[in-house]
Amino acid sequence: MTAPARQYVPGTLVRARGREWVVLPDSAGPLLRLRPLSGSEDDTTTIHTGLEPDVTDAAFPWPAGGGSREGNHTEALLLHDALRLSLRRGAGPFRSFGQVDVTPRPYQLVPLMMALRQEPVRLLIADDVGLGKTIEALLIARELYDRGEIGRLAVLCPPHLVEQWVVEMRTRFHLPAEAVTAGSAGRLERGLPQGTSLFEAHPFTVVSLDYIKSDRRRDEFARSCPGAIIVDEAHTCTTGTGTRHQRYLLLKTLLDDPRRHAVLCTATPHSGDETAFVRLLALLHPDFAALEGADPALADATRDRLAHHLVQRRRLDIREWHDETLFPKRETMDLTYRLTGAWEKFLEAVLSYCEGVTEGAGEGARERRLAFWGTLALLRCVTSSPAAAARALRTRLARPEDPEAVDRLAAQVFDLDAEETGGEATDDLEPGADSGDPELRALLEQAVTLAGDGNDPKLATLSRHLEQLLEEGFSPIVFCHYIATAHHVAERLRTRFRDVQIAVVTGELPPEARREAVDAMGEHERRLLVATDCLSEGVNLQEHFDAVVHYDLSWNPTRHEQREGRVDRFGQTRPVVRATLMIGENNPVDGAVLDVILRKARKIAERLGVAVPLPDDENRLTEALLKAVLLRRRSGGGRDQILLDLFETPAAHAVDAAWKDAEERARKAVTRFAQRRLKPDEVDPEFDRAQQALGDPAELARFLRRACTRLGSEPAESARGILTIELGELPPAIRERLDAQGLDAQKIRVVPGDRAIDHATPVRRSHPLVMTLAEALLERTLDADGVHSDPAVLGRTGVWPTAAVTRRTVLLLARLRHELTTVREGVSTVAMVEEALPVAVVAGEEIPLTDAEASALLLAEPAGTLAANPRAGQLDWLTGQREDLAGVLARVARARAETLLADHRRVRDASGARGKYSVRAVEPVDVIGAWVLLPIPEVPA
């Protein structure tokens, strides 16, 4: 008769296959999930005790005695850092922080804490542009995953943002995401078993909304969708027509499942449109639909509930967190230029042509409206560059009978955003302007001639301004409207700035290639990027650039904020960023757009703290405004006189009235939906605990310096804290592990912390270099048997005198393991969490020192050394104290378990979420290191 399989409690140590392992919580019966005691998460394996009968109980070896290597103070400190930095299963209050490669700010913990108080998580993050919504959403997802509450995650976003999300998930949150788009879905599905969805085979995906929204794919996705989703640009999923309606149906289908966790992200939740905003909220919970049109008094209770589901901060709201220095000061300026000579004559000729078309354009005739839009498209190209004008004049104007082509032309002319067009942020191809009119042939000849002339007044003004920016140490991005203009500008600038690296990024490149081009610019000290609006969304540019020049004026105020928001955002290291708007003095059309649309939008944003778009249905107001400008030219007068006359037109009055209405509605919405947010005094204690788990930059720098030096590659350190490490000088086994992590360079320049300095790579505790060094040192030290010459083997015990103690003190480096059990709706889940803890036992004191007090003793410098015999005597004494010290550590572990339970209940269940929790300290405690510290007067002779 076969003996029943031995049941191992999670956290138990066993010996199998010649090494020690920790039993993990998801073990069941004879199947044991094991992680090497001194290994990494990647080495986790499963064994069957019936097939491997040599599985036996194991005990963690005591550091002192038994041939353990004696070490000094430097080795003790390095061992402590290696242990702390190698632990990924953090004990709390947040279990995910050992897995993230970013240091969140206190205000960014607010959405995480709000989410952990919900069951299920249903949250709308509506923070301002640049505050870090991606980080906030992925912190929630990573925390839920590490708590065992979700096993799969899908991010839904517009197609041009897919690659950005994949990179963020993989590099910062160690979630191996796969992009699911029209181009990649077939590859991901290839080879899967019949009936298996790619979303089941790949637990982390970033899905293009436009790929998945169709009726056929929507139903299949709803069947296999993960239990947690993040939706970016969620405001594009409210009810409407076409693309917006399909996205809405998709999201509503997914959120009709009451068990699904959902985090919605948008920087523009309402912008004054209360109906669209309320419908967005109703996706979180149908009860929120009652807010639309409800009497304020009757909606109080519902708004009170909303405060638990909505977090929305403007930049001015961050001041209460004392985090103003996180964001740079944005300095803006208007830079005027004047087209002269042949360029002025060309502009006048185009304006005259546009006037004629405007006078002949009747209301309601599609052909005439198309002709008018075609002239506006030509005018935009002319004021952009002669190269763009020539390209437009060579391209046939859209046909009136093609409604989609007409709509595309309107989108191009009026700079509509992706949410309005259903596509990417912009189409930077020059629109067709050739209507077959013979008069355009002469304009084309002029454009071709000017494109080859090197004396463009607009370009000359730009060059002088860039020279000033570069001299002041800025790295600028020049945003152009059209592809032809971007290449034209870059070509001329390369002849002017031969010592500056200049790159061009346009919609000709796929998203991944755009990102690669931007990253490559970071290798150069002096750099300048020329781009179209394909980079105004979806790519973070703050690491390599800090100034924006709007070479082409956009007619959409939101577009300017999007461009500047690429550099003015969380993670920007410069205290000041620049934003320059280039304006043609003798262009009355751009002058009208600037004064009547853009400057008014800027003033409203300054007053409210949020951007408000002009409510211009089908762009009729803007169209009427531009017609008024062109017709005013017939009456003569300069640009200033034209603009002065313009303000008295019905079109200008209509635009002004629309702005006032939009501002008032936005003000009411901001007031009506004001929320109770978590305040700094509620979050700061949790942030402090999280910082302890993350480790500060000083600790990381100390570890990298000492670890690399110990392993034969002493780093060179600059005055700004940049470490240059020769990876090729590290031991071959470690080099092999670094190569597997993608660090295959011979040399790397790093700076501990979150911000890049002088193009050095920022590293945090979960960076592959830090993790590999920490795990290698810990593994080799704990696996060593006796005295070794291997530099990776550190001494686990030692004796030294120090002025930091007045009585003999035993300093222990303990690794605590806790089994955390959650019972919710009858389902029990068990998680294993760990923490590194220094414990100091002072002679004559009953209560040991832990945390900061014990760490201070470890950091204190020794006061000399002891002779061999006194050291041996102290180590023998230490060995004799093992039983008593084990009892001390057991009491410490139980106390820490109670603290962990309190942290968990406070953070996860402050709102009374259902569930029962318990925490059990796993005993005996692992003693990684044990040292004797002696007061100087008592040092034996």
Side-chain angles (χ1 to χ4, degrees), residues 757-806:
I757 299 176
D758 294 340
H759 321 305
T761 301
V763 296
R764 302 103 178 155
R765 63 164 292 155
S766 60
H767 188 276
L769 176 62
V770 177
M771 294 300 300
T772 298
L773 292 175
E775 289 174 355
L777 286 170
L778 192 64
E779 288 173 24
R780 303 285 278 277
T781 297
L782 297 183
D783 288 344
D785 183 17
V787 179
H788 290 260
S789 58
D790 184 348
V793 177
L794 304 173
R796 296 177 58 202
T797 189
V799 184
W800 60 81
T802 174
V805 300
T806 58

Short mmCIF file of all heavy atoms in Angstrom, two decimals, residues 757-806:
data_model
loop_
_atom_site.label_atom_id
_atom_site.label_comp_id
_atom_site.label_asym_id
_atom_site.label_seq_id
_atom_site.Cartn_x
_atom_site.Cartn_y
_atom_site.Cartn_z
N ILE A 757 20.37 61.36 -16.39
CA ILE A 757 21.28 62.50 -16.29
C ILE A 757 22.39 62.30 -17.31
O ILE A 757 23.05 61.26 -17.32
CB ILE A 757 21.88 62.64 -14.88
CG1 ILE A 757 20.77 62.85 -13.84
CG2 ILE A 757 22.89 63.78 -14.81
CD1 ILE A 757 21.27 62.88 -12.42
N ASP A 758 22.58 63.31 -18.18
CA ASP A 758 23.65 63.24 -19.18
C ASP A 758 23.60 61.92 -19.96
O ASP A 758 24.63 61.28 -20.19
CB ASP A 758 25.03 63.40 -18.51
CG ASP A 758 25.22 64.79 -17.92
OD1 ASP A 758 24.49 65.70 -18.33
OD2 ASP A 758 26.07 64.94 -17.04
N HIS A 759 22.41 61.50 -20.31
CA HIS A 759 22.19 60.32 -21.15
C HIS A 759 22.53 59.01 -20.45
O HIS A 759 22.60 57.96 -21.11
CB HIS A 759 22.97 60.42 -22.46
CG HIS A 759 22.98 61.79 -23.04
ND1 HIS A 759 21.82 62.49 -23.31
CD2 HIS A 759 24.01 62.62 -23.37
CE1 HIS A 759 22.14 63.68 -23.79
NE2 HIS A 759 23.44 63.78 -23.84
N ALA A 760 22.77 59.04 -19.15
CA ALA A 760 22.99 57.78 -18.42
C ALA A 760 21.65 57.10 -18.16
O ALA A 760 20.62 57.76 -18.00
CB ALA A 760 23.70 58.06 -17.10
N THR A 761 21.66 55.76 -18.12
CA THR A 761 20.43 54.99 -17.90
C THR A 761 20.03 55.03 -16.43
O THR A 761 20.82 54.67 -15.56
CB THR A 761 20.65 53.52 -18.31
OG1 THR A 761 21.03 53.46 -19.68
CG2 THR A 761 19.38 52.70 -18.10
N PRO A 762 18.81 55.48 -16.12
CA PRO A 762 18.37 55.43 -14.72
C PRO A 762 18.09 53.99 -14.30
O PRO A 762 17.51 53.22 -15.07
CB PRO A 762 17.08 56.27 -14.71
CG PRO A 762 16.58 56.23 -16.12
CD PRO A 762 17.78 56.07 -17.01
N VAL A 763 18.54 53.61 -13.11
CA VAL A 763 18.31 52.25 -12.62
C VAL A 763 17.63 52.30 -11.26
O VAL A 763 17.94 53.15 -10.43
CB VAL A 763 19.62 51.43 -12.53
CG1 VAL A 763 20.25 51.24 -13.89
CG2 VAL A 763 20.61 52.08 -11.58
N ARG A 764 16.68 51.40 -11.06
CA ARG A 764 16.02 51.21 -9.78
C ARG A 764 16.29 49.78 -9.33
O ARG A 764 17.00 49.04 -9.98
CB ARG A 764 14.53 51.46 -9.87
CG ARG A 764 14.18 52.89 -10.36
CD ARG A 764 13.75 52.83 -11.77
NE ARG A 764 13.35 54.11 -12.33
CZ ARG A 764 13.40 54.36 -13.64
NH1 ARG A 764 13.85 53.44 -14.47
NH2 ARG A 764 13.01 55.51 -14.11
N ARG A 765 15.66 49.39 -8.24
CA ARG A 765 15.99 48.09 -7.66
C ARG A 765 15.64 46.92 -8.57
O ARG A 765 16.27 45.87 -8.50
CB ARG A 765 15.30 47.91 -6.31
CG ARG A 765 13.80 47.90 -6.35
CD ARG A 765 13.22 47.34 -5.06
NE ARG A 765 13.51 45.93 -4.93
CZ ARG A 765 13.58 45.29 -3.77
NH1 ARG A 765 13.40 45.95 -2.65
NH2 ARG A 765 13.81 44.01 -3.73
N SER A 766 14.63 47.07 -9.45
CA SER A 766 14.25 45.95 -10.29
C SER A 766 14.94 45.98 -11.66
O SER A 766 14.59 45.18 -12.53
CB SER A 766 12.72 45.92 -10.48
OG SER A 766 12.28 47.12 -11.08
N HIS A 767 15.90 46.86 -11.84
CA HIS A 767 16.65 46.88 -13.10
C HIS A 767 17.44 45.58 -13.22
O HIS A 767 17.96 45.06 -12.23
CB HIS A 767 17.59 48.08 -13.13
CG HIS A 767 18.27 48.29 -14.45
ND1 HIS A 767 19.41 47.63 -14.81
CD2 HIS A 767 17.94 49.08 -15.50
CE1 HIS A 767 19.78 48.01 -16.02
NE2 HIS A 767 18.90 48.89 -16.46
N PRO A 768 17.56 45.01 -14.43
CA PRO A 768 18.27 43.73 -14.58
C PRO A 768 19.69 43.73 -14.02
O PRO A 768 20.14 42.70 -13.48
CB PRO A 768 18.27 43.51 -16.10
CG PRO A 768 17.08 44.27 -16.58
CD PRO A 768 16.94 45.45 -15.69
N LEU A 769 20.40 44.85 -14.11
CA LEU A 769 21.76 44.89 -13.56
C LEU A 769 21.74 44.73 -12.05
O LEU A 769 22.51 43.94 -11.48
CB LEU A 769 22.44 46.21 -13.94
CG LEU A 769 23.84 46.44 -13.37
CD1 LEU A 769 24.80 45.38 -13.87
CD2 LEU A 769 24.34 47.84 -13.70
N VAL A 770 20.86 45.46 -11.39
CA VAL A 770 20.77 45.39 -9.92
C VAL A 770 20.32 44.00 -9.48
O VAL A 770 20.92 43.38 -8.58
CB VAL A 770 19.80 46.47 -9.39
CG1 VAL A 770 19.65 46.36 -7.87
CG2 VAL A 770 20.30 47.86 -9.76
N MET A 771 19.27 43.49 -10.11
CA MET A 771 18.73 42.19 -9.71
C MET A 771 19.74 41.07 -9.94
O MET A 771 19.90 40.17 -9.11
CB MET A 771 17.44 41.90 -10.47
CG MET A 771 16.28 42.82 -10.14
SD MET A 771 15.80 42.78 -8.40
CE MET A 771 15.35 41.06 -8.22
N THR A 772 20.42 41.10 -11.07
CA THR A 772 21.38 40.04 -11.37
C THR A 772 22.53 40.04 -10.38
O THR A 772 22.94 38.98 -9.88
CB THR A 772 21.92 40.22 -12.81
OG1 THR A 772 20.83 40.11 -13.72
CG2 THR A 772 22.94 39.15 -13.13
N LEU A 773 23.09 41.20 -10.08
CA LEU A 773 24.20 41.28 -9.13
C LEU A 773 23.75 40.84 -7.74
O LEU A 773 24.45 40.08 -7.05
CB LEU A 773 24.76 42.70 -9.08
CG LEU A 773 25.47 43.19 -10.34
CD1 LEU A 773 25.87 44.65 -10.20
CD2 LEU A 773 26.70 42.34 -10.64
N ALA A 774 22.56 41.31 -7.31
CA ALA A 774 22.08 40.97 -5.97
C ALA A 774 21.82 39.47 -5.85
O ALA A 774 22.24 38.83 -4.88
CB ALA A 774 20.81 41.76 -5.66
N GLU A 775 21.15 38.90 -6.83
CA GLU A 775 20.84 37.46 -6.77
C GLU A 775 22.10 36.62 -6.86
O GLU A 775 22.24 35.60 -6.15
CB GLU A 775 19.87 37.10 -7.90
CG GLU A 775 18.47 37.65 -7.69
CD GLU A 775 17.56 37.40 -8.88
OE1 GLU A 775 18.06 36.88 -9.90
OE2 GLU A 775 16.36 37.72 -8.78
N ALA A 776 23.06 37.03 -7.69
CA ALA A 776 24.29 36.25 -7.83
C ALA A 776 25.08 36.24 -6.53
O ALA A 776 25.57 35.19 -6.08
CB ALA A 776 25.14 36.83 -8.97
N LEU A 777 25.22 37.39 -5.89
CA LEU A 777 25.96 37.46 -4.63
C LEU A 777 25.28 36.63 -3.55
O LEU A 777 25.93 35.90 -2.80
CB LEU A 777 26.10 38.91 -4.18
CG LEU A 777 27.10 39.77 -4.95
CD1 LEU A 777 26.96 41.23 -4.57
CD2 LEU A 777 28.54 39.30 -4.70
N LEU A 778 23.96 36.74 -3.46
CA LEU A 778 23.23 36.01 -2.42
C LEU A 778 23.30 34.50 -2.68
O LEU A 778 23.54 33.71 -1.76
CB LEU A 778 21.78 36.48 -2.39
CG LEU A 778 20.95 36.03 -1.18
CD1 LEU A 778 21.51 36.59 0.11
CD2 LEU A 778 19.49 36.44 -1.34
N GLU A 779 23.07 34.09 -3.92
CA GLU A 779 23.12 32.66 -4.24
C GLU A 779 24.47 32.06 -3.92
O GLU A 779 24.57 31.01 -3.27
CB GLU A 779 22.81 32.46 -5.73
CG GLU A 779 21.38 32.70 -6.12
CD GLU A 779 21.22 32.64 -7.63
OE1 GLU A 779 22.06 31.98 -8.28
OE2 GLU A 779 20.28 33.26 -8.15
N ARG A 780 25.55 32.70 -4.40
CA ARG A 780 26.88 32.13 -4.23
C ARG A 780 27.26 32.08 -2.76
O ARG A 780 27.91 31.14 -2.29
CB ARG A 780 27.90 32.95 -5.02
CG ARG A 780 27.59 33.06 -6.49
CD ARG A 780 27.89 31.78 -7.25
NE ARG A 780 29.29 31.69 -7.59
CZ ARG A 780 29.83 32.29 -8.67
NH1 ARG A 780 29.05 32.97 -9.49
NH2 ARG A 780 31.11 32.16 -8.92
N THR A 781 26.81 33.09 -2.00
CA THR A 781 27.15 33.14 -0.58
C THR A 781 26.42 32.04 0.18
O THR A 781 27.01 31.33 1.01
CB THR A 781 26.79 34.51 0.01
OG1 THR A 781 27.59 35.51 -0.63
CG2 THR A 781 27.03 34.56 1.50
N LEU A 782 25.12 31.87 -0.08
CA LEU A 782 24.33 30.89 0.67
C LEU A 782 24.60 29.46 0.21
O LEU A 782 24.39 28.52 0.98
CB LEU A 782 22.84 31.21 0.54
CG LEU A 782 22.40 32.57 1.11
CD1 LEU A 782 20.90 32.74 0.99
CD2 LEU A 782 22.83 32.72 2.56
N ASP A 783 25.05 29.30 -1.02
CA ASP A 783 25.36 27.95 -1.50
C ASP A 783 26.77 27.51 -1.16
O ASP A 783 27.11 26.34 -1.35
CB ASP A 783 25.17 27.89 -3.03
CG ASP A 783 23.72 27.92 -3.43
OD1 ASP A 783 22.87 27.69 -2.54
OD2 ASP A 783 23.42 28.21 -4.60
N ALA A 784 27.61 28.45 -0.69
CA ALA A 784 29.01 28.13 -0.42
C ALA A 784 29.12 27.19 0.77
O ALA A 784 28.34 27.25 1.73
CB ALA A 784 29.80 29.42 -0.15
N ASP A 785 30.08 26.34 0.73
CA ASP A 785 30.34 25.38 1.81
C ASP A 785 31.80 25.55 2.24
O ASP A 785 32.71 25.10 1.54
CB ASP A 785 30.07 23.96 1.34
CG ASP A 785 30.27 22.95 2.48
OD1 ASP A 785 30.28 23.37 3.65
OD2 ASP A 785 30.42 21.75 2.17
N GLY A 786 32.01 26.18 3.37
CA GLY A 786 33.37 26.38 3.85
C GLY A 786 33.98 27.65 3.28
O GLY A 786 33.31 28.54 2.77
N VAL A 787 35.29 27.75 3.34
CA VAL A 787 36.00 28.95 2.91
C VAL A 787 36.25 28.86 1.41
O VAL A 787 36.74 27.86 0.89
CB VAL A 787 37.34 29.09 3.67
CG1 VAL A 787 38.10 30.32 3.20
CG2 VAL A 787 37.08 29.16 5.17
N HIS A 788 35.92 29.97 0.71
CA HIS A 788 36.07 29.98 -0.74
C HIS A 788 36.85 31.21 -1.15
O HIS A 788 36.81 32.26 -0.51
CB HIS A 788 34.69 30.00 -1.43
CG HIS A 788 33.94 28.70 -1.28
ND1 HIS A 788 33.89 27.76 -2.27
CD2 HIS A 788 33.22 28.21 -0.25
CE1 HIS A 788 33.16 26.73 -1.86
NE2 HIS A 788 32.74 26.98 -0.63
N SER A 789 37.54 31.08 -2.27
CA SER A 789 38.25 32.23 -2.83
C SER A 789 37.39 32.99 -3.83
O SER A 789 37.80 34.01 -4.36
CB SER A 789 39.54 31.77 -3.52
OG SER A 789 39.24 30.82 -4.55
N ASP A 790 36.22 32.46 -4.11
CA ASP A 790 35.30 33.11 -5.06
C ASP A 790 34.92 34.49 -4.52
O ASP A 790 34.38 34.60 -3.41
CB ASP A 790 34.05 32.23 -5.20
CG ASP A 790 33.08 32.77 -6.25
OD1 ASP A 790 33.25 33.92 -6.69
OD2 ASP A 790 32.14 32.04 -6.60
N PRO A 791 35.16 35.57 -5.29
CA PRO A 791 34.83 36.92 -4.78
C PRO A 791 33.34 37.13 -4.57
O PRO A 791 32.94 38.05 -3.85
CB PRO A 791 35.37 37.85 -5.87
CG PRO A 791 35.43 37.01 -7.11
CD PRO A 791 35.75 35.63 -6.62
N ALA A 792 32.50 36.30 -5.19
CA ALA A 792 31.06 36.45 -5.02
C ALA A 792 30.57 35.87 -3.70
O ALA A 792 29.42 36.08 -3.31
CB ALA A 792 30.31 35.80 -6.18
N VAL A 793 31.42 35.12 -2.99
CA VAL A 793 31.05 34.54 -1.70
C VAL A 793 31.41 35.54 -0.60
O VAL A 793 32.57 35.90 -0.42
CB VAL A 793 31.76 33.20 -1.47
CG1 VAL A 793 31.41 32.65 -0.09
CG2 VAL A 793 31.37 32.20 -2.55
N LEU A 794 30.39 35.98 0.13
CA LEU A 794 30.59 36.97 1.19
C LEU A 794 30.58 36.29 2.55
O LEU A 794 29.90 35.27 2.74
CB LEU A 794 29.47 38.02 1.14
CG LEU A 794 29.29 38.75 -0.20
CD1 LEU A 794 28.04 39.62 -0.15
CD2 LEU A 794 30.51 39.59 -0.52
N GLY A 795 31.28 36.87 3.48
CA GLY A 795 31.28 36.36 4.83
C GLY A 795 29.95 36.60 5.51
O GLY A 795 29.41 37.71 5.47
N ARG A 796 29.42 35.56 6.14
CA ARG A 796 28.11 35.67 6.80
C ARG A 796 28.24 35.93 8.30
O ARG A 796 27.24 36.06 9.00
CB ARG A 796 27.31 34.39 6.58
CG ARG A 796 26.96 34.12 5.12
CD ARG A 796 26.23 32.80 4.96
NE ARG A 796 25.03 32.75 5.75
CZ ARG A 796 24.43 31.64 6.14
NH1 ARG A 796 24.96 30.45 5.83
NH2 ARG A 796 23.32 31.68 6.86
N THR A 797 29.44 36.01 8.79
CA THR A 797 29.63 36.25 10.21
C THR A 797 30.92 37.03 10.40
O THR A 797 31.77 37.10 9.50
CB THR A 797 29.66 34.93 10.99
OG1 THR A 797 29.63 35.20 12.38
CG2 THR A 797 30.91 34.11 10.66
N GLY A 798 31.09 37.65 11.55
CA GLY A 798 32.29 38.42 11.82
C GLY A 798 32.19 39.15 13.14
O GLY A 798 31.14 39.15 13.81
N VAL A 799 33.29 39.79 13.51
CA VAL A 799 33.38 40.54 14.77
C VAL A 799 34.16 41.82 14.50
O VAL A 799 35.20 41.78 13.81
CB VAL A 799 34.10 39.72 15.86
CG1 VAL A 799 34.09 40.48 17.19
CG2 VAL A 799 33.48 38.34 16.01
N TRP A 800 33.68 42.93 15.03
CA TRP A 800 34.45 44.17 14.95
C TRP A 800 34.01 45.14 16.05
O TRP A 800 32.86 45.10 16.50
CB TRP A 800 34.32 44.83 13.57
CG TRP A 800 32.93 45.22 13.16
CD1 TRP A 800 32.23 46.32 13.52
CD2 TRP A 800 32.07 44.47 12.29
NE1 TRP A 800 31.00 46.34 12.94
CE2 TRP A 800 30.87 45.22 12.17
CE3 TRP A 800 32.19 43.27 11.60
CZ2 TRP A 800 29.80 44.78 11.39
CZ3 TRP A 800 31.14 42.84 10.82
CH2 TRP A 800 29.96 43.59 10.72
N PRO A 801 34.94 45.99 16.47
CA PRO A 801 34.60 47.02 17.46
C PRO A 801 34.02 48.25 16.76
O PRO A 801 34.36 48.54 15.62
CB PRO A 801 35.96 47.35 18.09
CG PRO A 801 36.94 47.08 17.00
CD PRO A 801 36.38 45.94 16.19
N THR A 802 33.15 48.96 17.46
CA THR A 802 32.55 50.17 16.90
C THR A 802 32.11 51.09 18.02
O THR A 802 31.69 50.65 19.10
CB THR A 802 31.35 49.82 16.00
OG1 THR A 802 30.71 51.04 15.59
CG2 THR A 802 30.32 48.98 16.74
N ALA A 803 32.20 52.39 17.75
CA ALA A 803 31.75 53.39 18.72
C ALA A 803 30.24 53.49 18.77
O ALA A 803 29.69 54.20 19.61
CB ALA A 803 32.35 54.74 18.37
N ALA A 804 29.55 52.77 17.90
CA ALA A 804 28.09 52.87 17.82
C ALA A 804 27.40 52.09 18.94
O ALA A 804 26.19 52.26 19.14
CB ALA A 804 27.60 52.36 16.47
N VAL A 805 28.11 51.20 19.66
CA VAL A 805 27.49 50.42 20.73
C VAL A 805 28.24 50.65 22.03
O VAL A 805 29.44 50.93 22.04
CB VAL A 805 27.47 48.91 20.39
CG1 VAL A 805 26.68 48.66 19.12
CG2 VAL A 805 28.88 48.35 20.25
N THR A 806 27.53 50.53 23.13
CA THR A 806 28.16 50.65 24.46
C THR A 806 28.21 49.32 25.18
O THR A 806 28.84 49.21 26.23
CB THR A 806 27.37 51.67 25.31
OG1 THR A 806 26.01 51.24 25.42
CG2 THR A 806 27.42 53.06 24.68
#
